[in-house]
Amino acid sequence: MSLNNGRLITKEELELLSKMNAAQRLKYIRLELNKLFPKEFSKKRVVENSGVLSYQGLHYLEEKQPEPTMNTLKGLANFYGVPIEVFSDEFYVNNPTAFFLGKSMVEISETTFHNPDYELTIDIMVRRDGKELVDFQHFSLPETIQLKLSYPELYGLIMLIGHQTEIINDKQVMSENAHIALQKLSKKE
């Protein structure tokens, strides 16, 4: 799957969604996802793969349009890969921002820049012992990185940074634990 396997909701669609209730929005998003990924978001597949509700429950929700429970909203928003806020009326009140509609599984292997709607600026500051290091050019990085990204690229980059942060933090904790264990062993001798 590429980084941009989906699309942004258009302004016209935001206007349309603003006039719907939560159940209608759920149905609209499912149908649009099913157009992007044929048969993957049919009622049957959503029920089988989301684990949120039964076929009858999904059918009743989409056709009779009762107010969905918060658990249903959270589960389907997560399965559909959209922010849960898009189901609330408040989201559409003051100039809502377009959201990405597509698969949320993002592979970083491809770097296709498509619809660069987001700007990301990263200011790099390296510190050691609380003091800023000015000379860190051996990292081959500028002091500021500016990127124009599509939503899936931004999402993928943030996920990658989060994942790398977890790995680094885990290594630090393991190193600290090993250091403490070595100190305890050296005291026993």
Side-chain angles (χ1 to χ4, degrees):
M1 179 187 333
S2 70
L3 284 171
N4 57 351
N5 202 356
R7 65 177 181 82
L8 286 175
I9 290 289
T10 65
K11 288 184 181 188
E12 292 80 17
E13 287 176 300
L14 286 171
E15 172 104 9
L16 180 65
L17 287 165
S18 73
K19 297 173 182 160
M20 296 179 180
N21 65 32
Q24 291 168 321
R25 291 174 187 138
L26 282 166
K27 181 178 182 178
Y28 182 86
I29 289 171
R30 183 187 66 77
L31 291 173
E32 290 301 307
L33 284 167
N34 206 46
K35 288 177 189 175
L36 289 167
F37 311 101
K39 298 184 183 178
E40 290 185 44
F41 289 91
S42 66
K43 284 183 187 177
K44 181 180 177 190
R45 294 292 287 277
V46 168
V47 168
E48 289 172 352
N49 298 317
S50 72
V52 176
L53 36 82
S54 68
Y55 185 88
Q56 292 85 359
L58 182 59
H59 179 77
Y60 181 76
L61 178 67
E62 289 187 353
E63 301 309 319
K64 302 294 182 190
Q65 302 170 5
E67 187 64 31
T69 66
M70 185 53 73
N71 285 340
T72 299
L73 279 176
K74 284 180 183 176
L76 289 176
N78 185 47
F79 184 72
Y80 296 160
V82 297
I84 193 167
E85 295 82 13
V86 304
F87 300 110
S88 72
D89 292 336
E90 293 80 32
F91 178 79
Y92 300 93
V93 173
N94 293 322
N95 197 21
T97 56
F99 58 93
F100 182 74
L101 193 61
K103 293 187 180 180
S104 61
M105 296 296 290
V106 180
E107 291 179 10
I108 305 301
S109 61
E110 295 180 30
T111 55
T112 307
F113 282 76
H114 182 70
N115 293 333
D117 297 324
Y118 295 85
E119 292 180 21
L120 176 67
T121 302
I122 302 171
D123 291 320
I124 300 171
M125 182 187 309
V126 179
R127 293 180 182 207
R128 184 170 185 177
D129 299 325
K131 296 179 184 173
E132 185 178 345
L133 298 177
V134 179
D135 184 26
F136 62 94
Q137 274 39 8
H138 59 279
F139 287 116
S140 302
L141 289 173
E143 291 180 21
T144 300
I145 298 172
Q146 292 184 322
L147 299 170
K148 288 188 181 273
L149 304 165
S150 67
Y151 179 83
E153 292 162 338
L154 177 63
Y155 176 84
L157 182 58
I158 290 170
M159 295 302 289
L160 179 63
I161 290 169
H163 181 68
Q164 290 299 322
T165 301
E166 287 177 21
I167 290 171
I168 291 167
N169 287 336
D170 288 348
K171 284 181 182 178
Q172 288 174 340
V173 168
M174 288 182 354
S175 177
E176 290 168 6
N177 290 343
H179 182 70
I180 292 168
L182 285 173
Q183 283 181 332
K184 287 180 182 178
L185 282 174
S186 66
K187 287 181 182 178
K188 287 184 180 181
E189 292 176 358

